[in-house]
Amino acid sequence: MSNQIILPRIMQVGAGASNEVPTVLASLGCKRPLIITDKMMVELGYAGRIQECLSRHQIASDVFADTVPEPTVSSIQAGVDRVRDGDYDSIIALGGGSPIDSAKAIAILGKHGGAMRDYKFPRMVIEAGLPIIAVPTTAGTGSEVTRVTIITDETTDEKMLCMGIGFMPIAALVDYNLTLSLPSRITADTGIDALTHAIEAYVSKKANLYSDSQALSAMRLLAPNLRRAYHNGADKEAREAMMLGSTLAGVAFSNASVALVHGMSRPIGAAFHVPHGLSNAMLLPSVTQYSLPAAPERYADCARAMGVADGQDSVEVANDKLLKELHALNDELQVPTPAQFGIDRRTFFDLMPTMAEQALASGSPNNNPRVPSIDDMIAIYRQLW
């Protein structure tokens, strides 16, 4: 059995990679880019630097900076209107997962029209939108190398999973220098998101030899460096490892799919506005404990790749060490419980059946080594409290 592997056409990785935007545009024959980003990237000067770099090569560009965390149908509409009204031939997606996810949606809707719900999974989007050059500024989502975008329908509080080759950026410029100014909270949340991507890709029922190699390499980079980057954001060696690990984890899950953590995480984010990486972190220990009996050898491999177990440890010992590490990581990175985050207990418990149904509808739980029922997911949600 063969596996189709889909990647960006162009990847530039390492310090200064973001300076290659003009070269990439020239190779694509594009001359009129729209930079899609958020206000923070403008305030930090990152958008301005990209524009200056482009102007030195006689390339004019505009900036759309009205993307929001956890993008919604309404938040991307202004970007869609901007693309339709402008004469743009390409998009530069600058920022974390939310600006890049927004850019993916805008690139498709701006060219082909329709509503975001029209592109929701299980539809596979094969139409090509405007070409996207993704420049990530966080080490977490891996969105620069995935054929996935997540857009919330605010009328139903549903996080819509949208998939297909049409959402894959044409180029990914992975420059760890852009992460040096990240605050510790974002470093933690995006870092655990990346680690979750790697673990879920490896235990996914859709895992394959290629995705396995990327997932294990990602874990080897992420696990030893997440705490270092969290405690010292200026640690360039840790930042570089985290950035590459995040990209490799993105490649892994884009080609093997995520599983139960992500399926259950999206409804928490949609209903309670919890950042995606943070809701993943809340769930990762409990979901891993639930899933372990169905894939003990695979989880033991994860423990060894992360450096918390070695080849002398039995599968059982390695799995025990993995669970202890996931709890210890959440403690050190100060991951809150839903209650500590400020979520109302009664509202959370009342919504658990709906969240479980939304999780199941996303398709991700079916990739899990142990496929849960609605009642199983409700029980896991209850454990978080």
Side-chain angles (χ1 to χ4, degrees):
M1 179 180 175
S2 66
N3 298 98
Q4 184 183 58
I5 307 300
I6 299 175
L7 298 167
R9 184 190 305 174
I10 301 166
M11 289 184 67
Q12 191 90 21
V13 180
S18 57
N19 297 328
E20 298 299 320
V21 171
T23 305
V24 173
L25 283 171
S27 74
L28 298 173
C30 296
K31 300 177 180 177
R32 180 77 174 126
L34 175 65
I35 300 172
I36 294 181
T37 188
D38 58 29
K39 289 181 170 56
M40 182 58 68
M41 292 298 103
V42 173
E43 291 173 12
L44 290 173
Y46 289 169
R49 283 183 221 167
I50 296 286
Q51 283 193 295
E52 288 169 14
C53 184
L54 291 170
S55 66
R56 288 196 296 271
H57 290 77
Q58 290 74 53
I59 299 174
S61 60
D62 293 327
V63 174
F64 174 79
D66 291 334
T67 66
V68 300
E70 314 297 324
T72 64
V73 169
S74 61
S75 77
I76 64 171
Q77 188 57 49
V80 173
D81 294 341
R82 183 75 173 270
V83 164
R84 286 179 178 167
D85 294 341
D87 186 26
Y88 303 108
D89 60 8
S90 53
I91 288 173
I92 298 168
L94 172 69
S98 294
I100 296 176
D101 274 6
S102 297
K104 290 177 177 182
I106 291 167
I108 290 290
L109 291 178
K111 184 171 181 179
H112 298 288
M116 200 69 234
R117 183 163 287 280
D118 299 335
Y119 299 92
K120 175 186 168 185
F121 182 82
R123 175 178 174 179
M124 298 303 290
V125 179
I126 60 173
E127 302 92 328
L130 287 177
I132 297 172
I133 300 172
V135 185
T137 60
T138 64
T141 68
S143 190
E144 70 276 7
V145 290
T146 72
R147 45 182 159 169
V148 178
T149 187
I150 309 289
I151 305 296
T152 299
D153 182 345
E154 60 271 60
T155 63
T156 61
D157 273 343
E158 178 189 0
K159 278 198 170 188
M160 295 184 293
L161 175 64
C162 305
M163 299 182 66
I165 193 172
F167 292 118
M168 177 65 75
I170 203 84
L173 308 184
V174 184
D175 186 347
Y176 72 86
N177 281 337
L178 302 184
T179 69
L180 295 174
S181 62
L182 279 181
S184 57
R185 182 71 265 148
I186 296 177
T187 297
D189 295 347
T190 54
I192 296 180
D193 189 23
L195 184 61
T196 304
H197 290 154
I199 293 172
E200 290 214 291
Y202 191 72
V203 302
S204 168
K205 287 186 173 182
K206 294 182 179 178
N208 54 75
L209 190 59
Y210 180 86
S211 63
D212 284 353
S213 68
Q214 308 301 300
L216 291 170
S217 294
M219 284 183 254
R220 292 186 186 107
L221 288 164
L222 295 165
N225 290 289
L226 179 48
R227 287 177 174 88
R228 284 176 58 182
Y230 173 74
H231 290 298
N232 178 14
D235 185 335
K236 288 188 176 183
E237 185 179 61
R239 289 291 196 187
E240 183 174 20
M242 290 297 298
M243 196 65 162
L244 179 57
S246 169
T247 296
L248 293 177
V251 170
F253 90 79
S254 185
N255 290 286
S257 296
V258 287
L260 183 54
V261 174
H262 276 75
M264 293 183 65
S265 172
R266 296 186 198 105
I268 294 177
F272 301 104
H273 309 291
V274 180
H276 174 67
L278 195 57
S279 54
N280 277 350
M282 291 176 179
L283 282 158
L284 184 56
S286 295
V287 169
T288 300
Q289 186 167 22
Y290 168 82
S291 306
L292 268 172
E297 291 84 4
R298 285 249 144 187
Y299 280 108
D301 288 343
C302 293
R304 295 183 183 109
M306 290 167 60
V308 298
D310 58 40
Q312 307 304 313
D313 291 322
S314 67
V315 168
E316 184 179 356
V317 169
N319 286 336
D320 184 58
K321 288 182 175 180
L322 176 63
L323 285 175
K324 287 178 179 175
E325 167 64 5
L326 296 180
H327 285 290
L329 192 60
N330 277 6
D331 288 343
E332 187 165 341
L333 272 51
Q334 299 181 13
V335 173
T337 63
Q340 291 166 339
F341 187 79
I343 295 173
D344 178 72
R345 185 182 189 278
R346 185 171 196 175
T347 305
F348 187 81
F349 275 63
D350 286 348
L351 273 177
M352 287 193 302
T354 300
M355 292 194 296
E357 289 166 6
Q358 289 177 347
L360 195 62
S362 75
S364 297
N366 290 326
N367 302 324
N368 207 58
R370 182 181 179 189
V371 178
S373 66
I374 294 290
D375 287 342
D376 288 338
M377 287 187 280
I378 290 173
I380 293 171
Y381 278 134
R382 190 175 289 113
Q383 279 180 25
L384 303 188
W385 208 264

